[in-house]
Amino acid sequence: MIKQLMHDPIFLAGKSEIATKEDLQVAEDLLDTLIAHRESCVGMAANMIGVRKRIIAFLDESGKMPTYTVMFNPEIMGSSGAYDTEESCLSLLGGLRKCKRYKTIKVQYQTADMKTHTKVYTGWTAQIIQHEVDHCNGVLI
């Protein structure tokens, strides 16, 4: 189900809790909401739809064909290639904001069946994941 977007910076600055199997509906709602906003958004965290759970959904361009990926409890385990950039956020007003990102990241996460995976991402997809993990950690750009 497509959910309303959260714009309250105080809520968004709160850290998200660990996601469990009981949060599968939250993940579906998050993905539905992201797809509904695909013209202006490439990634979302659950707190952007008002749920403080460590779930992110994003446009994954790391494979041959772009696809949407959902991660439960993502943690960035390593990073390299720091660079400065500017990003915007669907939940925040005011346009572009400066931030630091990394060209390559190693992420540990769980899939919907709660199996743990580790994967290396680079480039644009890595930047999206970093933005969404920041949301889970209560970090606003």
Side-chain angles (χ1 to χ4, degrees):
M1 175 184 295
I2 299 168
K3 298 291 186 174
Q4 288 290 107
L5 296 178
M6 172 62 66
H7 297 287
D8 179 357
I10 295 170
F11 179 87
L12 293 168
K15 289 189 176 186
S16 296
E17 300 172 6
I18 296 295
T20 67
K21 283 192 266 188
E22 286 72 38
D23 297 312
L24 291 176
Q25 185 61 55
V26 174
E28 287 181 33
D29 293 346
L30 183 62
L31 187 57
D32 289 346
T33 305
L34 173 58
I35 291 169
H37 291 276
R38 67 183 166 269
E39 296 300 319
S40 58
C41 186
V42 292
M44 287 187 160
N47 66 353
M48 293 175 68
I49 59 169
V51 181
R52 279 199 187 131
K53 291 290 186 164
R54 293 188 68 82
I55 306 170
I56 67 172
F58 58 94
L59 181 62
D60 186 347
E61 296 182 348
S62 65
K64 292 180 183 180
M65 295 290 296
T67 185
Y68 287 100
T69 295
V70 175
M71 290 180 174
F72 291 76
N73 305 310
E75 296 289 344
I76 297 174
M77 307 304 286
S79 58
S80 64
Y83 65 97
D84 294 319
T85 189
E86 293 183 334
E87 295 175 355
S88 62
C89 181
L90 207 54
S91 286
L92 301 174
L93 303 175
L96 295 173
R97 292 176 171 88
K98 294 181 182 197
C99 59
K100 179 174 280 191
R101 295 293 181 217
Y102 296 88
K103 292 178 185 176
T104 303
I105 59 170
K106 181 178 181 180
V107 183
Q108 182 174 304
Y109 63 95
Q110 293 171 310
T111 53
D113 58 4
M114 295 295 133
K115 291 187 179 174
T116 301
H117 298 270
T118 303
K119 186 171 179 179
V120 173
Y121 289 90
T122 61
W124 178 235
T125 301
Q127 184 173 337
I128 297 167
I129 293 168
Q130 290 169 81
H131 181 104
E132 303 315 328
V133 170
D134 276 357
H135 268 293
C136 292
N137 294 331
V139 175
L140 304 178
I141 57 167

